[in-house]
Amino acid sequence: MQLSKRTIEVLKNFATINQSIVVKPGKKLATMAVARNILAEADVEETFPSEFAIYNLNEFLSALSLFENPELEFGEKWVVIREKGAKRGGVKYFYSNKALIVHPTKSIKMPDDISVEFTVTEAILTKISRAAGVLGVSDVVVVGDDEGISLIVQDRKNDSSNDFEIQVSDKAQEKPFKFFFKQENLKFIPGDYVVQISDKGISSFKKADGTMQYAVALEAT
């Protein structure tokens, strides 16, 4: 088996959420943060033949990078990585014990009662990330009122901190609301996302093409 560029991109993104991963048989990858506040799922084009666990995902990806055209042969206790077409040599990479790894056991399922839904573009997400870095703040607030929905980057514990606001919808909201996130938890593969937020403390960011979905816990008010 060979991994596509997109699948490697997904694995690199997942490594920013959890350094370890448990891969299940099939065409879906999933991961969960150790703090259990982020869950991510991705549909991929490859079909993985069996379950296996990788403890250090960045190390595994670095092992892949040793080869120009890596091919993977999955065994019971390890995966062999070698140059495509080669019959010998390569890297024998041992699996981990999945009991040592925090990993999701269920797929993402949002509550039926969604408080707000809107679309956020890749450009807006990039600006939010840049603004947080420029201003040295870490909170992202989703604010809804009679003027629409905005994302505000700020330090919510400092009333005099600088902030950055960008509107994502001009549709008036029936009830005003505020939902809080940490910028560090918004670790998404670039793209446009449909956002759903529930006042039960959970949110969903689903890529517009349907191939990726992240569930992110809200911060306490």
Side-chain angles (χ1 to χ4, degrees), residues 85-193:
K87 295 183 179 180
R88 296 192 62 178
V91 172
K92 180 191 287 185
Y93 198 94
F94 282 82
Y95 304 141
S96 174
N97 181 350
K98 76 171 186 177
L100 302 175
I101 297 174
V102 174
H103 62 281
T105 57
K106 297 180 181 179
S107 294
I108 297 172
K109 181 174 175 57
M110 287 292 289
D112 293 332
D113 53 336
I114 300 300
S115 300
V116 60
E117 180 174 326
F118 59 91
T119 298
V120 62
T121 65
E122 178 179 342
I124 288 176
L125 288 171
T126 299
K127 286 183 179 180
I128 290 294
S129 179
R130 288 183 58 200
V134 168
L135 300 178
V137 295
S138 60
D139 297 307
V140 178
V141 189
V142 181
V143 177
D145 53 30
D146 57 5
E147 294 185 351
I149 303 172
S150 292
L151 302 182
I152 303 175
V153 180
Q154 62 180 199
D155 180 351
R156 57 186 292 205
K157 294 182 179 180
N158 183 357
D159 292 337
S160 62
S161 77
N162 299 316
D163 65 37
F164 171 81
E165 179 175 352
I166 188 166
Q167 191 173 44
V168 295
S169 172
D170 59 5
K171 182 180 178 182
Q173 302 300 297
E174 294 181 5
K175 296 180 180 179
F177 57 78
K178 285 186 178 181
F179 297 109
F180 299 93
F181 295 90
K182 285 294 184 184
Q183 168 61 29
E184 65 190 31
N185 291 337
L186 306 182
K187 303 173 180 180
F188 308 144
I189 281 181
D192 299 343
Y193 286 84

Side-chain angles (χ1 to χ4, degrees), residues 18-90:
N18 188 334
Q19 72 162 4
S20 308
I21 191 170
V22 175
V23 177
K24 301 290 183 67
K27 301 173 73 69
K28 187 181 288 290
L29 293 172
T31 192
M32 175 184 285
V34 173
R36 302 179 187 273
N37 57 346
I38 308 170
L39 193 158
E41 296 177 344
D43 295 322
V44 295
E45 59 188 77
E46 301 86 354
T47 301
F48 290 94
S50 58
E51 181 178 276
F52 61 94
I54 300 293
Y55 186 77
N56 190 329
L57 186 50
N58 281 317
E59 182 183 75
F60 174 75
L61 291 168
S62 294
L64 286 177
S65 72
L66 293 172
F67 306 91
E68 290 186 10
N69 202 6
E71 192 166 38
L72 287 75
E73 181 181 336
F74 295 95
E76 183 179 347
K77 296 182 179 180
W78 60 74
V79 56
V80 175
I81 309 168
R82 59 168 61 103
E83 205 66 54
K84 184 180 181 182
K87 295 183 179 180
R88 296 192 62 178

